[in-house]
Amino acid sequence: MRALLVVNPAATTTSARTRDVLIHALASEMKLEAVTTEYRGHARDLGRRAADSDDVELVVALGGDGTVNEVVNGLLHGGPDPDRLPRLAVVPGGSTNVFARALGLPNDAVEATGAILQALEEKSERTVGLGLAAGTPGTEDESVPARWFTFNAGFGFDAGVVGRVEQHRERGKRSTHALYVRQVIRQFLEEPHRRHGMITLERPGEDPVTDLVLAIICNTAPYTYLGNRPLYSSPTASFDLALDVLGLTRMSTPAAALHGTQLLTSTPDRGPHGRHAVSLHDLTDFTLHSKAPLPFQMDGDHLGVRTSVTFTGVRRALRVIV
């Protein structure tokens, strides 16, 4: 088997020595080309090269969720075609690794590599659905190019938290769960739109859902992890279906305390709920509009502010090794 290994040298939970061990383990079982990323977007370019090649059968992403997102967007630059495109394997190397863990892989890079090699030997794989977000035609964001996401996207509050964390990381701070918690509190205290929702969700054949303060779009469950604790904003979300949405219409102090507690204690059977929570399941096409520019994130990557985003849930988009 000919394979391409995309290595993020800045992966937070793997050392250079560990990465060398993993490369040798993979190279012992396949014809492996290992490439270390050198710039933002390099992993996407490598994924695109693999998709356009005639002989690469497997792309292994060694890094965090951002690296995986770039590789996926490169692989799918010409659209989803799971029967033709190389398969994807993920070795978790980031601080959270939501996509890898949602697939059931160990959160340890060495153990995950062992699991991948066993899966390859047993020919164990699955085809997963993905989300696609694009600028909405007829709006000021219509020229924003489409981009795939693997596990979640957020419009409003949670994207603001991601943006704050990225600012701290650019100043040299490590991405820790304590850092995320601090930024959640600061985002809440400074959130200008938490009392009056700006977001409207529109979908074909249904009445619009209005006055949302935030919208979390999920392609799988859990939505994310806080340390080893999985958090379920949309427990019914699945790689086998389209997209789920959790929207909140109020972020007053009591409402935020309630829904924050519900999220922290969420289970595969129950997520945030109540009269200020809106849960929608298995949506193929919908659009989020905002009366004011709001922060937007995909797979934990802050993408600036938007006023409108159109989403598509694509079933059977990519084959992954599990």
Side-chain angles (χ1 to χ4, degrees), residues 151-183:
F151 60 91
N152 77 40
F155 196 36
F157 181 85
D158 86 307
V161 173
V162 170
R164 288 173 178 272
V165 171
E166 286 194 6
Q167 288 176 356
H168 283 274
R169 291 183 65 184
E170 290 170 359
R171 297 175 194 148
K173 290 192 176 182
R174 290 190 61 198
S175 177
T176 63
H177 298 292
L179 176 61
Y180 271 93
V181 171
R182 288 196 299 272
Q183 300 318 308

Side-chain angles (χ1 to χ4, degrees), residues 40 69 131-136 141 144-149 152-164 166 187 199 214-217 243 286-290 292-312:
R40 189 179 182 95
N69 180 278
L132 183 67
T136 304
D141 293 320
V144 176
R147 178 166 169 170
W148 297 91
F149 61 97
N152 77 40
F155 196 36
F157 181 85
D158 86 307
V161 173
V162 170
R164 288 173 178 272
E166 286 194 6
Q187 180 70 20
I199 303 169
L214 64 82
I216 297 174
I217 302 92
L243 302 173
F286 61 97
T287 297
L288 297 176
H289 299 283
S290 174
L294 294 177
F296 179 59
Q297 68 87 12
M298 294 170 59
D299 285 349
D301 188 8
H302 187 263
L303 301 178
V305 296
R306 306 279 177 86
T307 57
S308 186
V309 187
T310 293
F311 292 88
T312 306

Side-chain angles (χ1 to χ4, degrees), residues 24-321:
H24 282 97
L26 292 167
S28 68
E29 300 295 331
M30 61 193 73
K31 187 176 180 181
L32 185 72
E33 178 188 5
V35 181
T36 299
T37 59
E38 299 176 355
Y39 54 86
R40 189 179 182 95
H42 194 184
R44 180 198 61 228
D45 295 342
L46 293 170
R48 181 172 185 145
R49 190 187 82 185
D52 293 340
S53 73
D54 294 326
D55 57 354
V56 175
E57 300 173 68
L58 173 69
V59 178
V60 183
L62 198 172
D65 288 312
T67 302
V68 175
N69 180 278
E70 285 195 15
V71 169
V72 166
N73 275 277
L75 284 171
L76 272 66
H77 77 96
D81 188 350
D83 295 327
R84 180 190 67 82
L85 291 173
R87 290 165 291 172
L88 173 70
V90 179
V91 178
S95 59
T96 309
N97 308 306
V98 178
F99 183 63
R101 294 163 82 175
L103 287 171
L105 289 168
N107 198 35
D108 176 81
V110 175
E111 291 184 14
T113 300
I116 289 168
L117 291 173
Q118 181 178 350
L120 287 169
E121 182 180 353
E122 297 174 352
K123 295 181 169 39
S124 176
E125 62 182 56
R126 66 179 291 191
T127 303
V128 299
L130 298 172
L132 183 67
T136 304
T139 71
E140 61 186 67
D141 293 320
E142 66 179 343
S143 62
V144 176
R147 178 166 169 170
W148 297 91
F149 61 97
T150 63
F151 60 91
N152 77 40
F155 196 36
F157 181 85
D158 86 307
V161 173
V162 170
R164 288 173 178 272
V165 171
E166 286 194 6
Q167 288 176 356
H168 283 274
R169 291 183 65 184
E170 290 170 359
R171 297 175 194 148
K173 290 192 176 182
R174 290 190 61 198
S175 177
T176 63
H177 298 292
L179 176 61
Y180 271 93
V181 171
R182 288 196 299 272
Q183 300 318 308
V184 167
I185 295 170
R186 290 177 181 172
Q187 180 70 20
F188 173 76
L189 294 175
E190 299 176 20
E191 172 59 57
H193 305 297
R194 64 186 176 92
R195 298 185 182 277
H196 305 286
M198 298 280 110
I199 303 169
T200 296
L201 185 151
E202 296 180 350
R203 50 186 168 145
E206 301 288 345
D207 292 335
V209 181
T210 61
D211 301 325
L212 298 175
V213 177
L214 64 82
I216 297 174
I217 302 92
C218 289
N219 186 49
T220 187
Y223 148 72
T224 190
Y225 293 81
L226 185 61
N228 292 322
R229 178 187 291 276
L231 305 182
Y232 297 87
S233 63
S234 297
T236 56
S238 168
F239 285 130
D240 297 322
L241 301 172
L243 302 173
D244 281 22
V245 179
L246 171 70
L248 297 181
T249 59
R250 182 170 295 183
M251 281 284 284
S252 62
T253 300
L258 172 63
H259 296 308
T261 300
Q262 290 176 339
L263 186 60
L264 289 172
T265 59
S266 58
T267 69
D269 299 315
R270 186 150 189 160
H273 55 277
R275 63 193 182 104
H276 299 305
V278 178
S279 295
L280 302 172
H281 178 57
D282 196 19
L283 303 186
T284 303
D285 299 284
F286 61 97
T287 297
L288 297 176
H289 299 283
S290 174
K291 299 173 186 176
L294 294 177
F296 179 59
Q297 68 87 12
M298 294 170 59
D299 285 349
D301 188 8
H302 187 263
L303 301 178
V305 296
R306 306 279 177 86
T307 57
S308 186
V309 187
T310 293
F311 292 88
T312 306
V314 180
R315 297 178 178 86
R316 291 186 49 79
L318 189 67
R319 290 183 300 165
V320 294
I321 302 299

